[in-house]
Amino acid sequence: MKTKITENNNKIEFHYIFNDDTIHSIDAFTRNNCEKEFLNLIKTISSELGINLTVTTESKKEGSLIDIYNFLVSQNGLSLAVWGTFLLKVFKYVFPIKSKDDSEAAKLANEKSLLELIKQAKEIEESGIPVPTNIQKRLEKIYSSRKIKKQKSNFFKKLTNEKQIKTFEVLTSSPMEEKVLFSIPKTIFKEYYLDSDNLDPLIDNSAEIEIISPVLKNGNYSWRGIYIKENLSHEYTMKDKEFKKKVIEEGIPFQNGTRLECELEICRKLDENGDEYNSSYKINKVFNQYIGEAVIEMPSGKKRRLKKELEDSQPSLFD
């Protein structure tokens, strides 16, 4: 089965190679899901490049399983065919990069291909064709994009469901030649999977949260409050055991407008489309509690204050 992507005289062909040469069909859901992930990935690349992309599909050719996609790039109403070709070159370089290969050889290969793309972009600019601003940073972001890795992971996970698939190949062709750009056997599809959708958390060391509903009893209950920086309410997991103990055993008062100064951990994930979202909020340490004009220093706040006083009292190298 072949899926052809054409742009002028340049073509990229998707070849789904089966265990049995007599097979010429694929599960419709698998095919449509893989096409969706491919189009999402192309959309992400064009968005990161800062170019306007229109994708059209032509009717299938008779007697075959070939889908033809036309990529039209424009800027200010002017069609830029060269950027359609360049976008496909970015795809050729980025798509084969494995998610689970941190070897030095892989890093050097990726760096080499990135430098080659940057060089080609500069050559386009030197020829007088408009180039998106900060093109080097845009390409670097594409190479490290977790969103693109997620979309590739989705593609290969869905293609794995097709039991008869043996190899996935991408070819480039022109009126003069046809050659394999890369060939990926099903045995290594898993190397393109993302093990986890979790991202590194964000830490706000001086967050302020206005408490809406505190938890005044033992148990795994969530606090609720307004994160002042966002002016949005969230549920929070209270991780500061000393603060929880003071609330329950000493009956720390809460009233309308009570605020906590704290260390806030914002956990993040990738959704199914590869977009980032905040999955949960954790209060790791409570430094101070504000009730009106009154300030109550908490155990974590006292530790932070004493640590800072000790650091400030230490002579510097130049004292």
Side-chain angles (χ1 to χ4, degrees), residues 225-253:
I226 299 171
Y227 182 24
I228 302 298
K229 184 179 288 186
E230 296 178 347
N231 195 29
L232 294 173
S233 65
H234 304 287
E235 289 190 345
Y236 304 86
T237 301
M238 180 60 69
K239 307 294 288 185
D240 191 327
K241 294 180 179 179
E242 291 181 293
F243 176 73
K244 287 174 69 175
K245 184 178 179 181
K246 288 183 74 68
V247 169
I248 295 168
E249 295 184 1
E250 299 180 20
I252 293 176

Coordinates of all heavy atoms in Angstrom, one line a residue, residues 225-253:
G225 N -8.5 26.5 46.3 CA -8.1 27.9 46.5 C -7.8 28.5 45.2 O -7.7 27.9 44.1
I226 N -7.7 29.9 45.2 CA -7.4 30.6 44.0 C -5.9 30.9 43.9 O -5.3 31.5 44.8 CB -8.1 32.0 44.0 CG1 -9.6 31.7 44.0 CG2 -7.7 32.8 42.8 CD1 -10.4 33.0 44.3
Y227 N -5.3 30.4 42.8 CA -3.8 30.7 42.6 C -3.8 32.1 42.1 O -4.2 32.4 40.9 CB -3.3 29.7 41.5 CG -1.9 29.8 41.2 CD1 -0.9 30.3 42.1 CD2 -1.4 29.3 40.0 CE1 0.4 30.4 41.7 CE2 0.0 29.4 39.6 CZ 0.9 29.9 40.5 OH 2.2 30.0 40.2
I228 N -3.2 33.0 42.9 CA -3.3 34.5 42.6 C -2.6 34.8 41.3 O -3.1 35.7 40.6 CB -2.6 35.3 43.8 CG1 -3.3 35.0 45.1 CG2 -2.6 36.8 43.5 CD1 -4.7 35.4 45.2
K229 N -1.5 34.2 41.0 CA -0.8 34.5 39.7 C -1.7 34.3 38.5 O -1.6 35.0 37.5 CB 0.5 33.7 39.6 CG 1.3 34.0 38.4 CD 2.6 33.2 38.4 CE 3.6 33.6 39.5 NZ 4.9 32.9 39.4
E230 N -2.5 33.2 38.5 CA -3.4 32.9 37.4 C -4.8 33.5 37.6 O -5.6 33.6 36.6 CB -3.6 31.4 37.2 CG -2.3 30.7 36.9 CD -2.5 29.2 36.8 OE1 -3.6 28.7 37.3 OE2 -1.6 28.5 36.3
N231 N -5.2 33.8 38.8 CA -6.5 34.2 39.2 C -7.5 33.2 38.8 O -8.6 33.5 38.4 CB -6.9 35.6 38.5 CG -8.1 36.2 39.2 OD1 -8.4 36.0 40.4 ND2 -8.9 37.0 38.4
L232 N -7.1 31.9 39.0 CA -8.0 30.8 38.8 C -8.0 29.8 40.0 O -7.0 29.7 40.7 CB -7.4 30.0 37.6 CG -7.5 30.7 36.2 CD1 -6.8 29.8 35.2 CD2 -8.9 30.9 35.8
S233 N -9.1 29.2 40.2 CA -9.3 28.3 41.3 C -8.9 26.9 40.9 O -9.2 26.4 39.8 CB -10.7 28.3 41.9 OG -11.6 27.8 41.0
H234 N -8.2 26.1 41.8 CA -7.8 24.8 41.5 C -8.0 23.9 42.8 O -8.1 24.5 43.9 CB -6.3 24.7 41.1 CG -6.0 25.5 39.9 ND1 -6.4 25.2 38.7 CD2 -5.3 26.7 39.8 CE1 -5.9 26.1 37.8 NE2 -5.3 27.0 38.5
E235 N -7.9 22.6 42.7 CA -7.8 21.7 43.8 C -6.3 21.5 44.0 O -5.5 21.3 43.1 CB -8.5 20.4 43.6 CG -10.1 20.6 43.6 CD -10.8 19.3 43.6 OE1 -10.2 18.3 43.3 OE2 -12.0 19.3 43.9
Y236 N -5.9 21.3 45.3 CA -4.5 21.2 45.7 C -4.3 20.0 46.6 O -5.1 19.8 47.5 CB -3.9 22.4 46.4 CG -4.1 23.7 45.6 CD1 -5.3 24.5 45.7 CD2 -3.1 24.2 44.7 CE1 -5.4 25.6 44.9 CE2 -3.2 25.3 44.0 CZ -4.4 26.1 44.1 OH -4.6 27.2 43.4
T237 N -3.2 19.3 46.4 CA -2.8 18.2 47.3 C -1.9 18.9 48.3 O -0.8 19.4 47.9 CB -2.1 17.1 46.6 OG1 -3.0 16.5 45.6 CG2 -1.7 16.0 47.6
M238 N -2.2 18.8 49.6 CA -1.3 19.4 50.6 C -0.3 18.4 51.0 O -0.5 17.4 51.6 CB -2.2 19.8 51.8 CG -1.3 20.4 53.0 SD -0.4 21.9 52.5 CE -1.8 23.1 52.3
K239 N 1.0 18.7 50.7 CA 2.1 17.8 51.0 C 2.9 18.2 52.2 O 3.8 17.4 52.7 CB 3.1 17.7 49.8 CG 2.4 17.4 48.4 CD 1.8 16.0 48.4 CE 2.9 15.0 48.3 NZ 2.4 13.6 48.2
D240 N 2.7 19.4 52.8 CA 3.4 19.9 53.9 C 2.8 19.2 55.2 O 1.7 19.7 55.7 CB 3.3 21.4 54.0 CG 4.3 22.0 55.0 OD1 4.5 21.3 56.1 OD2 4.8 23.1 54.8
K241 N 3.4 18.2 55.7 CA 2.9 17.4 56.8 C 2.8 18.2 58.1 O 1.9 18.1 58.9 CB 3.7 16.1 57.1 CG 3.5 15.1 55.9 CD 4.4 13.9 56.2 CE 4.2 12.9 55.0 NZ 5.0 11.7 55.3
E242 N 3.9 19.1 58.3 CA 3.9 19.9 59.5 C 2.8 20.9 59.6 O 2.2 21.2 60.6 CB 5.3 20.6 59.6 CG 6.4 19.7 59.9 CD 7.7 20.4 60.0 OE1 8.2 21.0 59.0 OE2 8.3 20.5 61.1
F243 N 2.5 21.5 58.4 CA 1.4 22.4 58.3 C 0.0 21.7 58.6 O -0.8 22.2 59.3 CB 1.4 23.1 56.9 CG 0.2 24.1 56.7 CD1 0.2 25.3 57.4 CD2 -0.8 23.7 55.9 CE1 -0.9 26.1 57.2 CE2 -1.9 24.5 55.7 CZ -2.0 25.8 56.4
K244 N -0.1 20.6 57.9 CA -1.4 19.8 58.1 C -1.6 19.5 59.6 O -2.7 19.5 60.1 CB -1.3 18.5 57.3 CG -1.5 18.7 55.8 CD -1.3 17.5 55.0 CE -2.4 16.5 55.3 NZ -2.3 15.3 54.4
K245 N -0.5 19.1 60.3 CA -0.5 18.8 61.7 C -1.0 20.0 62.5 O -1.8 19.9 63.4 CB 0.8 18.3 62.2 CG 0.8 17.8 63.6 CD 2.2 17.3 64.0 CE 2.2 16.8 65.4 NZ 3.6 16.3 65.8
K246 N -0.5 21.2 62.2 CA -0.8 22.4 63.0 C -2.3 22.7 62.7 O -3.0 23.2 63.6 CB 0.1 23.6 62.5 CG 1.5 23.5 63.0 CD 2.3 24.7 62.7 CE 1.9 25.9 63.5 NZ 2.3 25.8 64.9
V247 N -2.8 22.5 61.5 CA -4.2 22.8 61.1 C -5.1 21.9 62.0 O -6.1 22.4 62.5 CB -4.4 22.6 59.6 CG1 -5.9 22.7 59.3 CG2 -3.7 23.7 58.8
I248 N -4.8 20.6 62.0 CA -5.7 19.6 62.6 C -5.6 19.7 64.2 O -6.6 19.7 64.9 CB -5.4 18.2 62.1 CG1 -5.8 18.2 60.6 CG2 -6.2 17.2 62.9 CD1 -5.3 16.9 59.9
E249 N -4.3 19.8 64.7 CA -4.1 19.7 66.1 C -4.2 21.0 66.8 O -4.7 21.1 68.0 CB -2.7 19.0 66.4 CG -2.6 17.6 66.0 CD -1.3 17.0 66.3 OE1 -0.5 17.7 67.0 OE2 -1.1 15.8 66.0
E250 N -3.8 22.1 66.2 CA -3.8 23.4 66.8 C -5.0 24.3 66.4 O -5.2 25.4 66.9 CB -2.5 24.1 66.6 CG -1.3 23.4 67.1 CD 0.0 24.1 66.9 OE1 0.0 25.3 66.7 OE2 1.1 23.4 66.9
G251 N -5.7 23.8 65.4 CA -6.9 24.5 65.0 C -6.6 25.9 64.4 O -7.2 26.9 64.8
I252 N -5.6 26.0 63.5 CA -5.3 27.3 62.8 C -6.5 27.8 62.2 O -7.3 27.1 61.5 CB -4.2 27.1 61.7 CG1 -2.9 26.7 62.4 CG2 -4.0 28.3 60.9 CD1 -1.8 26.3 61.4
P253 N -6.9 29.1 62.4 CA -8.1 29.7 61.9 C -8.1 30.0 60.4 O -7.0 30.3 59.9 CB -8.2 31.0 62.8 CG -6.8 31.4 63.1 CD -6.1 30.1 63.3

